[in-house]
Amino acid sequence: MIHLILNKLLRFKKIPLAAYALVGYTALTLVLTYPVAAEISTSVPWGSQDTWHGIWNIWRIKHSLMTGSSLWYTNMVLYPTGVDLTFQVQTLFNSLLSIPLQLAFGLIPAYNILFLFSYVMSGFAMYLLADYLIGDKLAAFVAGIIYAYAPIHVHQSLVHLNIMSIEWMPLYALFMIKMFREDEMRNAVYASIFLLINSLTDLYFLVYAFVFTVLYFLYSVLTERASVTNVKFWKRSAVMAILFLVPFTLIHYPLICSTLFASYSFASTSLRGQIRNSADLAAFFVPSPLHPLFKDFSTPIFSRLGSGPGIHVYIGYTVLFMAPFAVSRLRKKVVGFWLLSSTLFLVLSLGAYLRFFRQTIVAMPYLWLYYYVPLLKNFRSTGRFNILTMLSLAVLVGFSLKTLSERLKGGRIFKRMDRFKLLYVVVAALVIFEFIPTPLPTLNADIPKIYRMIAEDEGNFAIIEVPITDSLDVYMYY
């Protein structure tokens, strides 16, 4: 009975199948991020004081645009001298999205809506990419689950508004790949738009996109040389580059000048700092300490692995089991790039040294990159490369599901299983079980009464907190 109802729904052509995927990711997000939606006006997802920083920043961008003040300087901190915000994490695109939400619902609901949106849209964007590559909508839906609810995303979303917005990377990858494969100029235009959106979300994503694009180009040279040696391809590439570089340069001109010509970069991170924020090899195999069943097992282990922003890189045993199946069963030309991509980004996430339970084993390629690619010194956490590892592995799992489904259709038992799409359901359920972080930690966002009283005073003046606590960013929010 259930499969008959599903078949009728899926054949109702007035509603695109993509709409069902979007509804599915929305439902999963509301459940897996509980109680964020239930406390949307009163609390915020909480990981560290950087959460307050992100909330203050989207308010500041709105204030700057509505008052005509500079985006690159403010005297609302360290008044009256003020602060240069050239190297501030602006996350401009998120801030722009938040403005109508702030005006309509308020600051805290706006932040929480962006939080929930990052999960729904990450899943849906990954679904679109995987569906294009694999041609199996159910496999694509599972790929979206893997990408959207991966522990690296969950833990970053509790702390960093900029890094939690991973939803634009699959869309850039989709149109970049289409630009390589197809002749339509519109793919170059869309690729430039999503590359710009990624860069305005956080410059980390620009680095990810650059590495991903170079890797795909080199792989295409080796496997499909004709597709990247014709004039039409280079015309499309030129259009994409121009449409991206012009607005990017105009928007980030102060940052570009400071990065290229300043004698010192405040964004620079020491090698020791980057090592601390890199992924430990053991962390790839230990479930998230947010997991309701595994937290008592995982928390003591993570206390030995460190506390850097890139430490939560659990891949999941379902993903590790399923992904190699595609590699072993399909032609390397079909899945070879995704194997190469997942391997490269995993290696980069390990940072300058391979470490196991914080014990250094051997130097890694990133050590050479740190010394000879100056911009990478501004890269605070190599562990975040795991975002692209999960994207690539999600594609491989999707290919594996499609291949396994096709191979098992001839079996008598599977014919009945296939009616219910049980293979996809079981794999999706296992992934969700491994990744579930519910209930997410939240913190009450109520502003103390004294600050509301101060806000009613007339005139502009400085406020000093006595005593000053470790959580300085909360005062920016107040």
Side-chain angles (χ1 to χ4, degrees), residues 323-393:
F325 184 83
V327 178
S328 65
R329 297 293 181 177
L330 294 175
R331 290 183 298 118
K332 297 300 184 288
K333 186 177 180 180
V334 176
V335 298
F337 170 75
W338 301 104
L339 173 63
L340 183 63
S341 176
S342 59
T343 303
L344 173 65
F345 285 108
L346 189 149
V347 170
L348 290 174
S349 71
L350 292 168
Y353 293 94
L354 176 63
R355 298 179 305 150
F356 188 73
F357 283 97
R358 302 176 74 175
Q359 299 299 311
T360 299
I361 298 174
V362 66
M364 300 295 285
Y366 192 87
L367 180 62
W368 182 89
L369 294 173
Y370 177 84
Y371 284 114
Y372 293 100
V373 183
L375 286 176
L376 288 183
K377 291 187 177 179
N378 296 336
F379 218 71
R380 181 166 172 254
S381 174
T382 61
R384 292 169 179 161
F385 277 112
N386 182 249
I387 293 169
L388 271 292
T389 303
M390 296 308 296
L391 185 152
S392 302
L393 288 174

Coordinates of all heavy atoms in Angstrom, one line a residue, residues 323-393:
A323 N 31.2 4.0 -0.5 CA 31.9 4.8 -1.5 C 32.9 3.9 -2.3 O 32.9 4.0 -3.6 CB 32.7 5.9 -0.8
P324 N 33.6 3.0 -1.7 CA 34.5 2.2 -2.5 C 33.8 1.3 -3.6 O 34.5 0.9 -4.5 CB 35.3 1.3 -1.5 CG 35.2 2.1 -0.2 CD 33.8 2.7 -0.3
F325 N 32.6 0.9 -3.3 CA 31.9 0.1 -4.2 C 31.8 0.7 -5.6 O 32.0 0.0 -6.7 CB 30.4 -0.2 -3.7 CG 29.7 -1.2 -4.6 CD1 29.9 -2.6 -4.4 CD2 28.8 -0.8 -5.5 CE1 29.2 -3.5 -5.2 CE2 28.1 -1.7 -6.3 CZ 28.3 -3.1 -6.1
A326 N 31.6 2.0 -5.7 CA 31.5 2.6 -7.0 C 32.8 2.6 -7.7 O 32.9 2.4 -8.9 CB 31.0 4.1 -6.8
V327 N 33.9 2.8 -6.9 CA 35.2 2.8 -7.5 C 35.6 1.4 -8.1 O 36.2 1.3 -9.1 CB 36.3 3.2 -6.4 CG1 37.7 3.1 -7.0 CG2 36.0 4.6 -5.9
S328 N 35.2 0.4 -7.4 CA 35.5 -1.0 -7.8 C 34.6 -1.5 -9.0 O 35.1 -2.4 -9.8 CB 35.4 -2.0 -6.6 OG 34.0 -2.1 -6.2
R329 N 33.4 -0.9 -9.1 CA 32.5 -1.5 -10.1 C 32.3 -0.6 -11.4 O 31.9 -1.1 -12.4 CB 31.1 -1.6 -9.5 CG 31.1 -2.6 -8.3 CD 31.3 -4.0 -8.8 NE 31.3 -5.0 -7.7 CZ 31.4 -6.3 -7.9 NH1 31.6 -6.8 -9.1 NH2 31.4 -7.1 -6.9
L330 N 32.6 0.7 -11.3 CA 32.4 1.6 -12.4 C 33.8 1.9 -13.1 O 34.8 1.8 -12.5 CB 31.7 2.8 -12.0 CG 30.3 2.7 -11.5 CD1 29.7 4.0 -10.9 CD2 29.4 2.1 -12.6
R331 N 33.7 2.3 -14.3 CA 34.9 2.8 -15.0 C 35.5 4.0 -14.3 O 34.8 4.9 -13.9 CB 34.5 3.1 -16.5 CG 34.1 1.9 -17.3 CD 33.8 2.3 -18.8 NE 32.7 3.3 -18.9 CZ 32.8 4.5 -19.4 NH1 34.0 4.9 -19.8 NH2 31.8 5.3 -19.5
K332 N 36.8 4.0 -14.3 CA 37.5 5.0 -13.6 C 37.2 6.4 -14.2 O 37.2 7.4 -13.5 CB 39.0 4.8 -13.7 CG 39.5 3.5 -12.9 CD 39.1 3.5 -11.5 CE 39.7 2.3 -10.7 NZ 38.9 1.1 -11.0
K333 N 36.9 6.4 -15.5 CA 36.5 7.7 -16.1 C 35.3 8.3 -15.5 O 35.1 9.5 -15.5 CB 36.3 7.5 -17.6 CG 36.1 8.8 -18.4 CD 36.0 8.5 -19.9 CE 35.8 9.8 -20.7 NZ 35.7 9.5 -22.1
V334 N 34.4 7.5 -15.0 CA 33.1 7.9 -14.4 C 33.3 8.4 -13.0 O 32.8 9.5 -12.7 CB 32.1 6.8 -14.5 CG1 30.8 7.2 -13.8 CG2 31.8 6.3 -15.9
V335 N 34.1 7.7 -12.2 CA 34.2 8.1 -10.8 C 35.6 8.4 -10.4 O 35.8 8.8 -9.2 CB 33.7 6.9 -9.9 CG1 32.2 6.6 -10.2 CG2 34.5 5.6 -10.1
G336 N 36.5 8.4 -11.3 CA 37.9 8.6 -11.0 C 38.2 10.0 -10.4 O 38.9 10.1 -9.4
F337 N 37.5 11.0 -10.9 CA 37.7 12.3 -10.4 C 37.3 12.4 -9.0 O 37.9 13.1 -8.1 CB 37.0 13.4 -11.3 CG 36.9 14.7 -10.6 CD1 38.1 15.5 -10.6 CD2 35.8 15.2 -9.9 CE1 38.1 16.8 -10.0 CE2 35.8 16.4 -9.3 CZ 37.0 17.2 -9.3
W338 N 36.1 11.8 -8.6 CA 35.6 11.9 -7.3 C 36.4 11.2 -6.3 O 36.5 11.6 -5.1 CB 34.1 11.5 -7.3 CG 33.3 12.3 -8.2 CD1 32.9 12.0 -9.5 CD2 33.0 13.7 -8.0 NE1 32.3 13.1 -10.1 CE2 32.3 14.1 -9.2 CE3 33.1 14.6 -7.0 CZ2 31.8 15.4 -9.4 CZ3 32.6 15.9 -7.1 CH2 32.0 16.3 -8.3
L339 N 37.0 10.1 -6.7 CA 38.0 9.4 -5.8 C 39.2 10.3 -5.6 O 39.7 10.4 -4.5 CB 38.4 8.1 -6.5 CG 39.5 7.3 -5.8 CD1 39.1 6.9 -4.4 CD2 40.0 6.1 -6.6
L340 N 39.7 10.9 -6.7 CA 40.9 11.8 -6.6 C 40.6 13.0 -5.7 O 41.4 13.4 -4.8 CB 41.3 12.2 -8.0 CG 42.6 13.1 -8.1 CD1 43.8 12.3 -7.6 CD2 42.8 13.5 -9.5
S341 N 39.4 13.6 -5.9 CA 39.0 14.8 -5.2 C 38.8 14.4 -3.7 O 39.3 15.2 -2.8 CB 37.7 15.3 -5.7 OG 37.2 16.4 -5.0
S342 N 38.2 13.4 -3.3 CA 38.0 13.0 -1.9 C 39.3 12.8 -1.3 O 39.5 13.1 -0.1 CB 37.0 11.8 -1.8 OG 37.6 10.7 -2.4
T343 N 40.2 12.1 -2.0 CA 41.6 11.8 -1.4 C 42.4 13.1 -1.2 O 43.0 13.3 -0.2 CB 42.3 10.9 -2.4 OG1 41.6 9.7 -2.5 CG2 43.7 10.5 -1.8
L344 N 42.4 14.0 -2.2 CA 43.1 15.2 -2.1 C 42.7 16.1 -1.0 O 43.5 16.5 -0.1 CB 43.0 16.0 -3.4 CG 43.6 17.4 -3.4 CD1 45.2 17.3 -3.2 CD2 43.3 18.2 -4.6
F345 N 41.4 16.3 -0.9 CA 40.8 17.1 0.2 C 41.0 16.5 1.6 O 41.2 17.2 2.6 CB 39.4 17.5 -0.1 CG 39.3 18.6 -1.2 CD1 38.8 18.2 -2.4 CD2 39.7 19.9 -1.0 CE1 38.7 19.2 -3.4 CE2 39.6 20.8 -2.0 CZ 39.1 20.5 -3.2
L346 N 41.0 15.2 1.7 CA 41.2 14.5 2.9 C 42.7 14.8 3.4 O 43.0 15.1 4.5 CB 40.9 13.0 2.8 CG 41.0 12.2 4.1 CD1 40.0 11.1 4.1 CD2 42.4 11.7 4.4
V347 N 43.6 14.6 2.4 CA 45.0 14.8 2.7 C 45.2 16.3 3.1 O 46.0 16.6 4.1 CB 45.9 14.5 1.5 CG1 47.3 15.0 1.7 CG2 45.9 13.0 1.2
L348 N 44.6 17.2 2.4 CA 44.8 18.7 2.8 C 44.2 18.9 4.2 O 44.7 19.7 4.9 CB 44.1 19.5 1.8 CG 44.8 19.6 0.4 CD1 43.9 20.4 -0.6 CD2 46.1 20.2 0.5
S349 N 43.1 18.3 4.5 CA 42.5 18.5 5.8 C 43.4 18.0 7.0 O 43.3 18.5 8.1 CB 41.1 17.8 5.9 OG 41.3 16.4 6.0
L350 N 44.3 17.1 6.7 CA 45.2 16.6 7.7 C 46.3 17.7 8.1 O 47.0 17.5 9.1 CB 45.9 15.3 7.3 CG 45.0 14.1 7.1 CD1 45.7 13.0 6.4 CD2 44.5 13.7 8.5
G351 N 46.5 18.7 7.2 CA 47.4 19.8 7.5 C 48.8 19.4 7.3 O 49.2 18.6 6.4
A352 N 49.7 20.1 8.0 CA 51.2 20.0 7.7 C 51.7 18.7 8.2 O 52.8 18.2 7.6 CB 51.9 21.2 8.4
Y353 N 51.1 18.1 9.2 CA 51.7 16.8 9.7 C 50.5 15.8 9.9 O 49.4 16.2 10.4 CB 52.4 17.0 11.0 CG 53.7 17.8 10.9 CD1 53.7 19.2 11.1 CD2 54.9 17.2 10.5 CE1 54.8 19.9 11.0 CE2 56.0 17.9 10.4 CZ 56.0 19.3 10.6 OH 57.2 20.0 10.5
L354 N 50.8 14.6 9.5 CA 49.8 13.5 9.9 C 49.9 13.2 11.3 O 51.0 12.9 11.8 CB 50.1 12.2 9.0 CG 49.3 11.0 9.3 CD1 47.8 11.3 9.0 CD2 49.8 9.8 8.6
R355 N 48.8 13.3 12.0 CA 48.8 13.1 13.5 C 47.8 12.0 13.8 O 46.7 12.0 13.3 CB 48.5 14.4 14.3 CG 49.5 15.5 14.0 CD 49.1 16.7 14.8 NE 47.8 17.2 14.5 CZ 47.0 17.8 15.3 NH1 47.4 18.1 16.6 NH2 45.8 18.2 14.9
F356 N 48.1 11.2 14.8 CA 47.2 10.2 15.3 C 47.1 10.3 16.8 O 48.1 10.1 17.5 CB 47.6 8.8 14.9 CG 46.6 7.7 15.2 CD1 45.4 7.6 14.5 CD2 46.8 6.8 16.3 CE1 44.5 6.6 14.8 CE2 45.9 5.9 16.6 CZ 44.7 5.8 15.8
F357 N 46.0 10.8 17.4 CA 45.9 11.1 18.8 C 46.9 12.1 19.2 O 47.6 11.9 20.2 CB 45.9 9.9 19.6 CG 44.6 9.1 19.6 CD1 44.4 8.0 18.8 CD2 43.5 9.5 20.4 CE1 43.2 7.3 18.8 CE2 42.3 8.8 20.4 CZ 42.1 7.7 19.6
R358 N 47.1 13.1 18.3 CA 48.0 14.3 18.5 C 49.5 13.9 18.5 O 50.3 14.8 18.8 CB 47.6 15.0 19.8 CG 46.2 15.5 19.8 CD 45.8 16.1 21.2 NE 46.4 17.4 21.3 CZ 46.1 18.2 22.4 NH1 45.3 17.8 23.3 NH2 46.7 19.4 22.5
Q359 N 49.8 12.7 18.1 CA 51.2 12.3 18.0 C 51.6 12.4 16.5 O 51.0 11.8 15.7 CB 51.4 10.8 18.5 CG 51.0 10.6 19.9 CD 51.9 11.4 20.9 OE1 53.1 11.5 20.7 NE2 51.3 12.1 21.8
T360 N 52.6 13.2 16.3 CA 53.0 13.5 14.9 C 53.7 12.2 14.3 O 54.6 11.6 15.0 CB 54.0 14.6 14.9 OG1 53.4 15.8 15.4 CG2 54.5 14.9 13.5
I361 N 53.2 11.9 13.1 CA 53.8 10.7 12.4 C 54.7 11.0 11.3 O 55.8 10.5 11.2 CB 52.6 9.8 11.9 CG1 51.8 9.3 13.1 CG2 53.1 8.6 11.2 CD1 50.5 8.6 12.7
V362 N 54.2 11.9 10.4 CA 55.0 12.2 9.2 C 54.6 13.6 8.7 O 53.4 13.9 8.8 CB 54.9 11.1 8.1 CG1 53.5 11.0 7.6 CG2 55.9 11.3 7.0
A363 N 55.5 14.3 8.0 CA 55.1 15.5 7.3 C 54.2 15.3 6.1 O 54.3 14.2 5.4 CB 56.4 16.3 6.9
M364 N 53.3 16.2 5.9 CA 52.3 16.1 4.8 C 52.6 17.1 3.7 O 53.3 18.1 4.0 CB 50.9 16.2 5.3 CG 50.5 15.1 6.3 SD 50.5 13.4 5.6 CE 49.0 13.5 4.7
P365 N 52.0 17.0 2.5 CA 52.3 18.0 1.5 C 51.9 19.4 1.8 O 52.5 20.4 1.3 CB 51.4 17.5 0.3 CG 51.2 16.0 0.5 CD 51.2 15.8 2.0
Y366 N 50.9 19.6 2.7 CA 50.5 20.9 3.1 C 51.6 21.7 3.8 O 51.6 23.0 3.7 CB 49.3 20.9 4.0 CG 48.6 22.2 4.2 CD1 47.7 22.7 3.3 CD2 49.0 23.1 5.3 CE1 47.1 23.9 3.5 CE2 48.4 24.3 5.4 CZ 47.5 24.7 4.5 OH 46.9 26.0 4.7
L367 N 52.6 21.0 4.4 CA 53.7 21.7 5.0 C 54.5 22.5 3.9 O 54.9 23.7 4.1 CB 54.7 20.7 5.7 CG 55.9 21.3 6.3 CD1 55.5 22.3 7.5 CD2 56.8 20.2 6.9
W368 N 54.7 21.9 2.8 CA 55.4 22.6 1.6 C 54.5 23.8 1.2 O 55.0 24.9 0.9 CB 55.6 21.6 0.5 CG 56.3 22.2 -0.7 CD1 57.7 22.3 -0.9 CD2 55.7 22.8 -1.8 NE1 57.9 22.9 -2.1 CE2 56.8 23.2 -2.7 CE3 54.4 23.0 -2.2 CZ2 56.5 23.9 -3.9 CZ3 54.2 23.7 -3.4 CH2 55.2 24.1 -4.2
L369 N 53.2 23.6 1.0 CA 52.3 24.6 0.6 C 52.3 25.8 1.6 O 52.2 27.0 1.1 CB 50.9 24.1 0.5 CG 50.6 23.0 -0.6 CD1 49.2 22.4 -0.5 CD2 50.9 23.6 -2.0
Y370 N 52.4 25.5 2.8 CA 52.4 26.6 3.8 C 53.5 27.5 3.6 O 53.4 28.8 3.7 CB 52.4 26.0 5.2 CG 52.5 27.0 6.3 CD1 51.3 27.6 6.8 CD2 53.7 27.4 6.9 CE1 51.3 28.6 7.8 CE2 53.7 28.4 7.9 CZ 52.6 28.9 8.4 OH 52.6 29.9 9.3
Y371 N 54.7 27.0 3.3 CA 55.9 27.8 3.2 C 56.0 28.5 1.8 O 56.6 29.6 1.7 CB 57.1 27.0 3.4 CG 57.4 26.7 4.9 CD1 57.3 25.4 5.4 CD2 57.6 27.8 5.8 CE1 57.5 25.2 6.8 CE2 57.8 27.6 7.1 CZ 57.8 26.3 7.6 OH 58.0 26.1 9.0
Y372 N 55.4 27.9 0.8 CA 55.7 28.4 -0.6 C 54.4 29.0 -1.2 O 54.5 29.5 -2.4 CB 56.2 27.3 -1.5 CG 57.6 26.8 -1.1 CD1 57.8 25.7 -0.3 CD2 58.7 27.6 -1.4 CE1 59.1 25.3 0.1 CE2 60.0 27.3 -1.0 CZ 60.2 26.1 -0.3 OH 61.4 25.7 0.1
V373 N 53.3 28.9 -0.6 CA 52.1 29.6 -1.1 C 51.6 30.6 0.0 O 50.9 30.2 0.9 CB 50.9 28.6 -1.4 CG1 49.7 29.4 -2.0 CG2 51.4 27.5 -2.4
P374 N 52.1 31.8 0.0 CA 51.9 32.8 1.1 C 50.5 32.9 1.5 O 50.2 33.1 2.7 CB 52.5 34.1 0.5 CG 53.5 33.7 -0.5 CD 52.9 32.4 -1.1
L375 N 49.5 32.9 0.6 CA 48.1 33.2 1.0 C 47.6 32.1 1.9 O 46.7 32.4 2.7 CB 47.3 33.2 -0.3 CG 47.4 34.5 -1.1 CD1 46.5 34.4 -2.4 CD2 46.9 35.7 -0.3
L376 N 48.2 30.9 1.9 CA 47.7 29.8 2.7 C 48.1 30.1 4.2 O 47.5 29.4 5.1 CB 48.2 28.5 2.3 CG 47.6 27.9 1.0 CD1 48.2 26.6 0.6 CD2 46.1 27.9 1.1
K377 N 48.9 31.0 4.5 CA 49.2 31.4 5.8 C 48.0 32.1 6.5 O 47.9 32.2 7.7 CB 50.5 32.3 5.9 CG 51.7 31.5 5.6 CD 53.0 32.4 5.8 CE 54.2 31.5 5.5 NZ 55.5 32.3 5.7
N378 N 47.1 32.5 5.7 CA 45.9 33.1 6.2 C 44.8 32.1 6.4 O 43.7 32.4 6.8 CB 45.3 34.2 5.2 CG 46.3 35.4 5.1 OD1 47.1 35.6 6.0 ND2 46.2 36.1 4.0
F379 N 45.1 30.8 6.1 CA 44.2 29.7 6.2 C 44.2 29.2 7.6 O 45.2 28.4 8.0 CB 44.6 28.6 5.2 CG 43.4 28.0 4.6 CD1 42.6 28.7 3.7 CD2 43.0 26.7 4.8 CE1 41.5 28.1 3.0 CE2 42.0 26.1 4.2 CZ 41.2 26.8 3.3
R380 N 43.2 29.5 8.5 CA 43.3 29.2 9.9 C 43.2 27.7 10.2 O 43.8 27.2 11.1 CB 42.3 30.0 10.6 CG 42.3 29.8 12.2 CD 41.5 30.8 12.9 NE 41.4 30.5 14.3 CZ 40.3 30.1 14.9 NH1 39.2 29.9 14.1 NH2 40.2 29.8 16.1
S381 N 42.3 27.0 9.5 CA 41.9 25.6 9.8 C 41.9 24.8 8.6 O 41.0 24.9 7.8 CB 40.6 25.6 10.5 OG 40.2 24.2 10.7
T382 N 42.9 23.9 8.4 CA 42.9 23.0 7.3 C 41.9 21.9 7.4 O 41.4 21.3 6.4 CB 44.3 22.3 7.1 OG1 44.6 21.6 8.3 CG2 45.4 23.4 6.9
G383 N 41.4 21.6 8.7 CA 40.4 20.6 8.9 C 39.1 20.8 8.1 O 38.4 19.9 7.8
R384 N 38.9 22.1 7.7 CA 37.7 22.5 7.0 C 37.7 22.0 5.6 O 36.6 22.0 4.9 CB 37.4 24.0 7.1 CG 37.1 24.5 8.5 CD 37.2 26.0 8.6 NE 36.8 26.4 10.0 CZ 37.1 27.6 10.4 NH1 37.8 28.5 9.7 NH2 36.8 28.0 11.7
F385 N 38.8 21.6 5.1 CA 38.9 21.0 3.7 C 38.0 19.7 3.7 O 37.6 19.2 2.6 CB 40.3 20.6 3.4 CG 41.1 21.7 2.8 CD1 42.2 22.2 3.5 CD2 40.8 22.2 1.5 CE1 42.9 23.2 2.9 CE2 41.6 23.2 1.0 CZ 42.6 23.8 1.7
N386 N 37.6 19.2 4.9 CA 36.8 18.0 5.0 C 35.4 18.3 4.4 O 34.7 17.3 4.0 CB 36.6 17.6 6.4 CG 35.8 16.3 6.6 OD1 34.7 16.4 7.1 ND2 36.3 15.2 6.2
I387 N 35.0 19.5 4.2 CA 33.7 19.8 3.6 C 33.7 19.3 2.2 O 32.8 18.7 1.7 CB 33.5 21.4 3.6 CG1 33.3 21.8 5.1 CG2 32.3 21.7 2.7 CD1 33.3 23.4 5.2
L388 N 34.8 19.5 1.4 CA 34.9 19.0 0.1 C 35.2 17.5 0.0 O 34.8 16.9 -1.0 CB 36.0 19.8 -0.7 CG 35.7 21.1 -1.4 CD1 34.8 20.8 -2.6 CD2 35.0 22.1 -0.4
T389 N 35.8 17.0 1.1 CA 35.9 15.5 1.1 C 34.5 14.9 1.2 O 34.2 13.9 0.5 CB 36.7 15.1 2.4 OG1 38.0 15.7 2.4 CG2 36.8 13.6 2.5
M390 N 33.6 15.5 2.0 CA 32.3 14.9 2.2 C 31.5 15.1 0.9 O 30.6 14.3 0.5 CB 31.6 15.6 3.4 CG 32.2 15.2 4.7 SD 32.5 13.5 5.0 CE 30.8 12.9 5.0
L391 N 31.7 16.2 0.2 CA 31.0 16.5 -1.1 C 31.3 15.4 -2.1 O 30.5 14.8 -2.7 CB 31.3 17.8 -1.6 CG 30.6 18.3 -2.9 CD1 30.5 19.8 -2.9 CD2 31.3 17.9 -4.2
S392 N 32.6 15.1 -2.2 CA 33.1 14.1 -3.1 C 32.7 12.7 -2.8 O 32.3 11.9 -3.6 CB 34.6 14.2 -3.2 OG 35.1 15.4 -3.6
L393 N 32.7 12.4 -1.5 CA 32.3 11.0 -1.0 C 30.8 10.9 -1.2 O 30.3 9.8 -1.5 CB 32.7 10.8 0.5 CG 34.1 10.6 0.7 CD1 34.4 10.6 2.2 CD2 34.7 9.3 0.1

